[in-house]
Amino acid sequence: MVALVNLAYQASFHLALVTSLLSSLWLLFGLVSLLTMPLIPLLGLARYRLGEHTQGQLMSGFAIGLAITLAVFGGMALLP
């Protein structure tokens, strides 16, 4: 999905991957995995400060990561 978006717009693949991974952990393990959620804005800030992405590219990467997670878990009927 990120590759298709990146044909027209350079979304942050790193942020999409980490967002999808950590939101999956949250859906599987609950509140204990919320301790890992600060990694998402930290990664976004690092990519922004390095000049690798704009704020819009980071937001689109975050949205893609959430969309992928919800699609996978919703398709498998695993959403709470």
Side-chain angles (χ1 to χ4, degrees):
M1 189 167 177
V2 177
L4 292 174
V5 170
N6 281 346
L7 291 175
Y9 188 72
Q10 188 66 29
S12 176
F13 176 77
H14 294 96
L15 198 59
L17 178 71
V18 170
T19 301
S20 183
L21 173 74
L22 295 180
S23 58
S24 296
L25 286 176
W26 178 60
L27 288 170
L28 291 171
F29 298 110
L31 291 176
V32 72
S33 64
L34 286 179
L35 297 172
T36 62
M37 289 300 170
L39 294 175
I40 295 172
L42 284 175
L43 176 66
L45 181 62
R47 301 295 292 169
Y48 181 74
R49 300 267 323 252
L50 287 171
E52 297 293 326
H53 292 290
T54 65
Q55 292 175 356
Q57 292 169 338
L58 293 169
M59 292 304 293
S60 62
F62 176 76
I64 290 169
L66 281 180
I68 289 170
T69 302
L70 292 175
V72 169
F73 279 79
M76 296 173 65
L78 294 175
L79 288 175

